[in-house]
Amino acid sequence: MYHKRIHVLAICFLLLALVLTGCGGAATNAQNGNAIHTGMLDPQKKYTVNFWEAFATGANKTTLANLTGQYMHVHPDVMVDLQAFDSYDTLQTKLRAAIAAGNPPALAQVYEEWATQFQQAHALTSLQPFISGKNGLSQSDLADFYPAMLQDGQIGGTQYMLPFNKSDIALYYNVDILQKYGLQPPKTFQEFTADVTKVTNSSQWGLSYTPDVDLWSILYKSLGGGDFVAPDGLSVAFANGKSQQAATQAFGMLAPYVKLGAIHVTTGYNWQNDFASQKSAFAIATIASYPFLASSIGNHFQFAEAPMPAGPAGQFTVLYGTNLAIFAGANQDAQTAAWDYLKFLTSTQANATFVQGTGYMPVRRSTFNSSALQRYYSKAPARKVGPQQLGSAFVASTVPAWDQCRNIISTSFTGTLSGQSTENNALNKVVQQCNFALAQG
């Protein structure tokens, strides 16, 4: 499922948080407390962990609730209070307000851009003391996490997060339709655009798709684009040279197929309805969409996942989903219990249960290789696509202002696909508006 990230007023937020810190707020106390953290629970104490998350409905909500129940059954002195918000937009807004008020939860789901902003405001607790503490993680534990995911949780080389509900973008396809046309899942974008044209008819589109920055980013990388943001974080890195050419092509590459009627542009989650009702042969979404599609499709037809097609520069996909972070404003006992619970959620057994219940990727190699997950994959081999793409997965940027650029690019990409703008005009607009946003910090 796509998770839209809202515009961040970084300067206002940082000023509020820094005022709190300057007034002797919880951030300083937590930093001092970190020096004596071991992460061990005291059997003589009662603990409460406020966990703010965005699993408000469906299989995600049920799976997290069941895992949390298992944890509290083994740890009766720990109460984990799940506070589910209706969207990541709402979660981010609530976190910003709680941090500014000096009353954040102990634990929350966070995206990378949020975490960078929170860390700059001294609102996050480094996980390093917990990792190296008595209730920590061994070197073999750390090596068991997929490197890309572990690195995704670092800010300036320090571990501030551990991976949680991670996914990447994949290509969904209707197996029955492709077999009818004698097609195999396309391995390149050249094959993909040919296939969406072949399977299009008066009652069926090749692809039904809601435009967003992530597909543009994949196209940009596969066409030879480099970084997204300059090293100083104050401007985009695709305004000139080879990257500019790739960025321009990425805006315009699929527009001709929209005009032909082979690609149907939708809004929201209408693409899911089109794919489930066999009005489209392909869909592009995160692997976390699988349970939602499976629920709608049932036994009506076969569908599967394939890696994202490759371009001239190779095959790429976007690493998606949130990490878990502990907040500096929580008291030391809450942080200690939050770490123990976080450690449980990212353990091999709990992670295997989570993957099967939600469709997200395993965060550990041992989870992927576990007997439970191998049985799961044997019934649905295409579910292996997500973790198998990890070597080509990327996060565009962790600069806080990139949130604004994501929205700017999505809007411009939609405009070029719908024929309202040329690819050159789209790029010029994105460069100008993103540079302004990035320059504000």
Side-chain angles (χ1 to χ4, degrees), residues 146-387:
Y146 286 106
M149 293 190 186
L150 199 63
Q151 185 176 2
D152 186 55
Q154 297 174 3
I155 302 174
T158 299
Q159 202 75 45
Y160 279 92
M161 302 167 278
L162 287 182
F164 183 45
N165 58 313
K166 307 303 287 185
S167 63
D168 53 22
I169 305 292
L171 179 67
Y172 289 89
Y173 63 96
N174 185 313
V175 175
D176 297 348
I177 291 177
L178 264 62
Q179 287 180 347
K180 177 182 175 182
Y181 284 85
L183 300 174
Q184 296 293 321
K187 294 183 179 181
T188 67
F189 276 111
Q190 185 176 12
E191 292 177 357
F192 173 69
T193 51
D195 289 350
V196 295
T197 305
K198 288 177 184 176
V199 301
T200 297
N201 56 48
S202 59
S203 61
Q204 176 182 287
W205 297 291
L207 171 71
S208 189
Y209 169 66
T210 297
D212 75 343
V213 62
D214 293 313
L215 179 55
W216 177 86
S217 299
I218 291 170
L219 292 171
Y220 168 72
K221 295 292 288 185
S222 70
L223 289 165
D227 292 337
F228 291 81
V229 177
D232 63 5
L234 299 178
S235 62
V236 298
F238 48 79
N240 299 289
K242 183 179 178 181
S243 289
Q244 180 189 36
Q245 182 181 359
T248 304
Q249 286 182 269
F251 276 115
M253 179 176 167
L254 299 180
Y257 302 94
V258 176
K259 188 174 182 179
L260 284 172
I263 296 178
H264 176 56
V265 174
T266 63
T267 58
Y269 295 109
N270 288 329
W271 66 267
Q272 287 187 358
N273 299 330
D274 290 340
F275 187 76
S277 61
Q278 301 195 74
K279 291 181 179 178
S280 64
F282 293 97
I284 295 173
T286 77
I287 63 166
S289 297
Y290 186 90
F292 297 91
L293 292 173
S295 177
S296 299
I297 292 168
N299 296 321
H300 294 298
F301 64 91
Q302 296 183 69
F303 77 101
E305 295 166 282
M308 283 301 294
Q315 191 267 343
F316 295 90
T317 188
V318 172
L319 181 63
Y320 222 78
T322 67
N323 299 313
L324 296 177
I326 296 175
F327 285 77
N331 64 54
Q332 184 175 322
D333 283 348
Q335 290 184 29
T336 297
W339 166 255
D340 194 70
Y341 172 64
L342 187 165
K343 186 180 172 184
F344 162 77
L345 285 180
T346 57
S347 67
T348 299
Q349 184 174 353
N351 189 222
T353 300
F354 183 76
V355 170
Q356 293 174 83
T358 64
Y360 284 103
M361 286 193 292
V363 299
R364 288 174 175 258
R365 293 186 176 96
S366 59
T367 303
F368 180 85
N369 294 321
S370 67
S371 56
L373 227 56
Q374 288 305 306
R375 288 193 299 269
Y376 171 68
Y377 288 139
S378 68
K379 297 176 182 178
R383 300 299 290 134
K384 289 184 177 182
V385 166

Side-chain angles (χ1 to χ4, degrees), residues 58-68 350 353-358:
N60 291 352
K61 177 183 177 69
T62 302
T63 302
L64 180 59
N66 288 341
L67 282 171
T68 302
T353 300
F354 183 76
V355 170
Q356 293 174 83
T358 64

